[in-house]
Amino acid sequence: MASPIRLDSIRKEYSAAGNTHVAVDDLTLEIPAGSFTTIVGPSGCGKTTTLRMIAGLETPTAGTIHFGDRDVTDAPPQDRNAAMVFQSIALYPHMSVRENIGYGLKVQGVDEAERDRRIEEAAETLQITAQLDKMPSELSGGQQQRVALGSAFVQDPDVLLLDEPMSDLDAKLKAELRVEVQRLHKELDATVVYVTHDQTEAMTMSDHVLLLEEGELAQFAPPGDLFDHPVSEYVARFIGTPSTNMLPATVEATGDGYVLTDGQFSVPVPGDLFADRVGDDVTLGVRPQYLDRGGGSHGVRVRVDVVEQLGTEYVVHGETTDGSKIDVVVADDAGLATGEDFDAYFEPDDLFVFDDGGDTICHGDALSQSQPA
Amino acid sequence: MFEFGEGAAGSYVSQATQQRVKRTAVVLTALLVAVFVTIPVYVMIAIAVQSPSSAFAGGSVQLFVDSLSFENFRVLLTETSTPRYFFNSIVVTASSTFLSTVIAVAAGYGLTRFDFTGKTLMARAVLFAYMFSPIVLAIPLYVIFYTLGLLNSYFALTLALTAISAPFTIWLMWQYFQTVPIALEESAWVRGASRTRTIWDVVLPVARPGYISAAIFSFAVSWNDFTMARVVMSQDEMYTITVGASLFLDRVSIGWGETMAASLLIAIPPFCIALFLQNYLLQGFNVGGLE
């Protein structure tokens, strides 16, 4: 039975040589039963620590963890009915693939016939039947990863935890296994928590994404929400490639309302949000994909630095007139050369507005309502 | 080995020259080893397998074996306590090897898997203890065993031998366990295996090259030991083979021939072990940083 995972004010400190390092700070959230949740964030943000606390391999310094109604905060990893796939894959080098997959079942005392039936079923799902009697060292990286997945889900866990399982694989295998993992999730009755630093994985695979910032929750939301409604500059920068452009601007009052301006553009904004911010510095976030060379309601001048080709599209890395970095995704580079200038246009609809502390003031949908008809 | 710079490429000396130098160095080293090891071993064997009268015929040592004779071995096994010495050696070597290896595995596992105060200090103390020569330990151990009335016992000699070998075997296992990923154990715990079960199912099999090296090392220390056996054992029937063989030289009835035969017998077990377990030995010592 998949169970929901509830974290309540989880905190994890490490003390080393007199220094206390807070790995996870006041994390509260509820992962719904049977969902696929990805924990994402840059290195050292506490995502693996969080996962290890869910697995029982670390004990939180403060706070509680519940699987459904059961408090597992201090329960040992052995009796949480969780399964985990490690970053290092962690196959037992002295056991054959069959024994590796079946080890958990053996520990639980499942008899050999039943064990073999389940191992073979798992192997079939993961297409490693031919490898069952080989040793792990004889397998390719992708096959080893499949064995690790197999050993995790053969036990029919309530909670399946994956710690950056694909970070060592090449892009093609990653894409293949990504599909595999999602298929497994559909077949399994388990709550899946997946740790990755790769936001593409997070966005494509999960029902919910938990983005961490230095051990604190930055945003916990479905991927679409994270992309369209980031709660802070940090979230907007982290999610999406290339990263969201940040354009500095100030709030100004004009005769018929309020605008955000940097001299080149002047975006009208609703008074109820900005009336008491006149004179404040804000940041406009706009995704490189939403900048358009063809035309739009507002524009900035971009000086080309480097143009990268990404298959069907191009990423133009450049600078605005005030020197801030800006990326523009264009369908056609049209012979843009280094040092050349062009205008990139955007619609207020696609903007995010952040205050000088990095918190979101509003998203584009709030701005478009204030457009003059 | 002789190497100019880090590797083949990027140095001023051409790769072909480096290859030549390397080959010459290998041959020279092999010759040196041959002179200092193979020749004495050959002399030992040659004297052991000839009857004393033919080995020393004509006033000089006969190094070309023309008549095989097991006379020396017969004298050794029937007229001296050599079988008894052998038995003693086997008993203390086996128990000390076992004890030292068990201690090393336990200590290595503990040092790498648990955090406790004084861990670094303990690790350093272990390495420091390894610097002592056996004779430094021998006298205090003698006093201790004397006080406890344990002299002339297998138990005391086992402990004494373990005291010499354990610092190194502990250090070896400590290094070895650092290369065993803890994720292997964690993965077993998550799957429901207790810590004890994980040690049997996962840790020990994975650490096998490590503890086999440790066992071979403590075997070599115990089997070849002279100092401790000489100090702890003072009765003829408790002597180990090394001490016993050295005493042959003092006796009029026992000559060089028998002594060489005893030496040959002493050399056989280590030789077999080196021959059959060399792969494990290399694996274990590689990790320990020794090559």
Side-chain angles (χ1 to χ4, degrees), chain B residues 38-224:
Chain B
T38 319
I39 293 179
V41 168
Y42 175 75
V43 171
M44 173 182 83
I45 296 174
I47 297 178
V49 298
Q50 299 179 74
S51 69
S53 53
S54 58
F56 299 104
S60 64
V61 181
Q62 195 72 36
L63 285 182
F64 295 98
V65 182
D66 42 21
S67 62
L68 267 185
S69 148
F70 293 98
E71 173 65 13
N72 292 323
F73 294 95
R74 194 194 58 74
V75 173
L76 208 58
L77 297 178
T78 55
E79 292 172 25
T80 68
S81 325
T82 305
R84 174 74 195 182
Y85 299 155
F86 245 96
F87 175 76
N88 293 342
S89 270
I90 289 170
V91 170
V92 291
T93 300
S95 14
S96 169
T97 301
F98 178 74
L99 186 61
S100 176
T101 309
V102 169
I103 291 175
V105 170
Y109 183 79
L111 283 168
T112 51
R113 299 302 191 253
F114 298 105
D115 267 319
F116 49 89
T117 34
K119 181 165 138 174
T120 332
L121 186 76
M122 195 183 137
R124 282 193 197 136
V126 165
L127 212 54
F128 185 63
Y130 181 56
M131 304 292 159
F132 289 129
S133 139
I135 196 71
V136 177
L137 293 176
I139 310 301
L141 280 174
Y142 177 83
V143 175
I144 293 172
F145 292 139
Y146 175 78
T147 318
L148 296 174
L150 286 173
L151 288 177
N152 287 307
S153 69
Y154 291 137
F155 179 69
L157 186 53
T158 300
L159 288 189
L161 293 173
T162 307
I164 315 178
S165 62
F168 183 76
T169 55
I170 289 175
W171 180 77
L172 190 70
M173 285 319 291
W174 179 32
Q175 298 295 310
Y176 199 86
F177 272 122
Q178 286 176 9
T179 69
V180 176
I182 192 146
L184 290 180
E185 288 156 64
E186 290 176 338
S187 132
W189 300 339
V190 172
R191 295 200 219 172
S194 66
R195 202 176 251 277
T196 320
R197 172 140 197 193
T198 305
I199 289 176
W200 285 114
D201 286 356
V202 178
V203 178
L204 289 180
V206 173
R208 200 162 72 191
Y211 68 74
I212 289 185
S213 307
I216 293 172
F217 176 82
S218 42
F219 166 84
V221 166
S222 311
W223 185 259
N224 297 324

Side-chain angles (χ1 to χ4, degrees), chain A residues 189-244:
Chain A
D189 183 19
T191 311
V192 179
V193 184
Y194 186 101
V195 163
T196 178
H197 60 263
D198 179 348
Q199 49 105 5
T200 317
E201 271 176 30
M203 296 299 283
T204 50
M205 296 169 82
S206 35
D207 305 326
H208 293 274
V209 175
L210 166 60
L211 176 58
L212 292 177
E213 179 182 13
E214 293 180 359
E216 290 178 44
L217 186 147
Q219 191 165 2
F220 179 56
D225 265 14
L226 219 63
F227 193 81
D228 292 331
H229 298 106
V231 298
S232 68
E233 198 178 319
Y234 173 81
V235 178
R237 274 183 196 274
F238 194 86
I239 301 293
T241 38
S243 189
T244 304

